[in-house]
Amino acid sequence: MVEQPAKQSYFADMAAKEAAAKRSSVVDKACQWVVNNQISWSAGLLAVIHAHDFFFAGGDSKLVHLQHRIPSDAQGRYARGREDIYFILHWAIAFTLIRATIMYKILEPFAKWYGVKSVRKVTRFAEQGWLTIYYILSNSTGLYVMYHHPHWMNTSQFWANYPEGHRQMTALMKSYYLIQMGFWVQQIFVLLVEERRKDFVVMFIHHIVTCNLMGWSLFTNYTRVGNAVLCCMDSSDIFLSGTKCMRYLGFERAAVVSFVVFIVSWIYTRHYLYYKITHSVFYETYDIIGPNTLWDPENGAFYSRASIGGFTFLLCTLQVLIIYWFALVLRIIYRIVTQNNLDDSRSDSEDNDGDDGAGNKATGTSSKASKRKQRAKSKDD
């Protein structure tokens, strides 16, 4: 009989990581400090920003308030401009504080009170709980914005009368758009400073493409398209993160139902509706705006086949990632049908799933029953 070495416990593994951290580089230590003190430093920065706005900027700080209001516009609408970057950065900091507060002060204590024992599960529940809350709010706001604009369920309105009516944004549309950009900038920050997951590369590409799409659409005044894409992305993510939370709390049947709804919403929004949006960008523009270049930066016109081609390329890149994730979702469906097992097809350990993306598209990992079987088999050997 060959005695197999005992598997290192999670707490021993954490102790080893802490020891390794002591020997880590200055950059690693700085990142660890940033992660461990997210609430304090982000709250401090926001206090300074808002104090400056109140005492020195006369309530018109670029970091806190929307800029580039159109003076002659009767509706009080806004244009986009370079100074919007300050507002985006403000919200990236704000989301750091909001996320950390909700995760560490509300969701983690709730998970522990409810009886979740695994440290990793508590952390994952908090992460996915925060995303569920955010996507519910962002998707609801995005649908409200779309409903009160001409492009509600009408792709031709993405381009009608461009650039008039497109370069002028209501306060709600511009706030929604810039705050969303702040969220995705903060997501890149989280990805870089927190513990890296197996899907780091895919998620990093996803976040970079998303930020480029939003930046491009804002610069070229294609914000109606951007609004529609964001709504397509956010809607299925509600059920994705919600399903994971249900699993961590032990609501297996509810998780299965939520997972089915997630699959249906994923196919409809991220493939069917997304295809219609991409088709509109590449083909419908030609029919509505025409084959000729409409390039007049002073009046907010940035239409050319080259700009449309670049925008389409980013949309297609994002769709490739979505197809990749959906392939992993199909593996989960196969496991459900053949093994009655709603497991993460990417993870190796019980709670090792990512923030978003592929493993995100699954919920959970190897079951405790399979682990018990492995231990029994080791004893037999």
Side-chain angles (χ1 to χ4, degrees):
M1 181 179 69
V2 179
E3 185 176 354
Q4 296 186 3
K7 187 176 180 180
Q8 191 176 24
S9 70
Y10 168 73
F11 296 102
D13 182 56
M14 288 298 294
K17 288 182 178 180
E18 290 178 1
K22 295 179 180 179
R23 302 188 297 270
S24 62
S25 67
V26 175
V27 175
D28 292 334
K29 291 180 179 179
C31 288
Q32 192 61 47
W33 183 90
V34 169
V35 171
N36 293 339
N37 298 276
Q38 292 182 61
I39 294 178
S40 58
W41 66 258
S42 59
L45 282 176
L46 289 174
V48 171
I49 289 170
H50 284 268
H52 174 269
D53 174 59
F54 184 81
F55 293 107
F56 301 101
D60 193 31
S61 170
K62 298 175 183 178
L63 284 160
V64 181
H65 304 280
L66 294 176
Q67 302 296 307
H68 304 290
R69 186 169 184 172
I70 304 173
S72 59
D73 190 86
Q75 301 178 43
R77 292 177 294 182
Y78 292 80
R80 59 107 181 101
R82 293 180 181 178
E83 294 178 345
D84 292 336
I85 187 66
Y86 299 109
F87 191 81
I88 295 170
L89 291 175
H90 166 263
W91 276 98
I93 298 170
F95 276 123
T96 300
L97 175 62
I98 296 169
R99 175 181 181 268
T101 301
I102 291 177
M103 281 180 55
Y104 304 139
K105 302 299 183 181
I106 299 175
L107 295 177
E108 283 194 358
F110 171 80
K112 294 174 182 177
W113 171 83
Y114 192 80
V116 179
K117 302 299 183 183
S118 167
V119 175
R120 283 187 178 272
K121 279 192 175 184
V122 169
T123 301
R124 301 297 183 260
F125 171 80
E127 291 173 348
Q128 298 305 315
W130 152 244
L131 291 176
T132 303
I133 294 169
Y134 175 78
Y135 289 133
I136 289 174
L137 295 175
S138 64
N139 191 54
S140 300
T141 305
L143 291 173
Y144 180 86
V145 169
M146 188 186 296
Y147 183 77
H148 287 85
H149 281 76
H151 60 289
W152 173 257
M153 299 301 177
N154 186 354
T155 57
S156 66
Q157 289 297 321
F158 289 163
W159 318 107
N161 302 317
Y162 179 85
E164 288 305 311
H166 299 258
R167 65 185 181 88
Q168 303 97 340
M169 291 180 283
T170 63
L172 178 61
M173 168 65 100
K174 185 167 184 178
S175 297
Y176 162 77
Y177 220 76
L178 298 185
I179 290 172
Q180 280 273 42
M181 292 186 72
F183 171 79
W184 286 106
V185 169
Q186 197 270 341
Q187 285 293 93
I188 294 176
F189 164 78
V190 169
L191 204 63
L192 292 175
V193 302
E194 293 191 353
E195 180 183 357
R196 293 192 177 183
R197 312 287 173 78
K198 289 185 176 181
D199 59 352
F200 172 82
V201 174
V202 178
M203 288 309 306
F204 185 74
I205 295 173
H206 170 270
H207 293 355
I208 293 297
V209 171
T210 299
C211 287
N212 274 277
L213 271 171
M214 296 190 69
W216 194 314
S217 60
L218 182 66
F219 177 79
T220 55
N221 295 310
Y222 299 161
T223 49
R224 294 181 182 181
V225 182
N227 176 210
V229 171
L230 287 169
C231 288
C232 286
M233 298 296 105
D234 290 348
S235 57
S236 59
D237 279 334
I238 295 172
F239 300 103
L240 163 64
S241 299
T243 300
K244 295 170 75 69
C245 289
M246 291 176 191
R247 284 221 65 197
Y248 293 137
L249 294 178
F251 299 121
E252 297 294 338
R253 291 185 179 180
V256 171
V257 173
S258 180
F259 184 72
V260 171
V261 176
F262 158 68
I263 293 296
V264 174
S265 66
W266 175 286
I267 295 173
Y268 180 69
T269 59
R270 293 200 170 197
H271 293 291
Y272 173 67
L273 292 183
Y274 193 93
Y275 164 76
K276 292 190 68 176
I277 294 170
T278 306
H279 181 273
S280 176
V281 170
F282 196 72
Y283 292 104
E284 210 167 19
T285 51
Y286 190 88
D287 297 331
I288 296 175
I289 301 179
N292 298 324
T293 297
L294 182 58
W295 195 273
D296 185 6
E298 290 186 1
N299 293 309
F302 297 90
Y303 171 77
S304 69
R305 297 317 293 173
S307 68
I308 288 296
F311 197 59
T312 305
F313 172 77
L314 290 174
L315 287 171
C316 291
T317 301
L318 189 57
Q319 181 62 201
V320 168
L321 296 176
I322 293 171
I323 292 172
Y324 164 73
W325 286 324
F326 188 64
L328 297 186
V329 170
L330 292 177
R331 291 178 62 183
I332 299 170
I333 296 174
Y334 174 79
R335 287 187 178 185
I336 294 174
V337 173
T338 60
Q339 304 174 20
N340 193 29
N341 186 11
L342 185 60
D343 282 357
D344 187 340
S345 59
R346 186 205 63 183
S347 301
D348 294 329
S349 62
E350 185 182 14
D351 306 301
N352 188 23
D353 49 7
D355 270 341
D356 198 341
N360 266 282
K361 310 319 167 198
T363 55
T365 52
S366 55
S367 64
K368 294 181 180 179
S370 63
K371 288 189 174 183
R372 286 196 294 268
K373 289 180 181 179
Q374 291 176 1
R375 287 196 294 268
K377 185 176 179 181
S378 299
K379 291 180 180 179
D380 293 339
D381 293 339

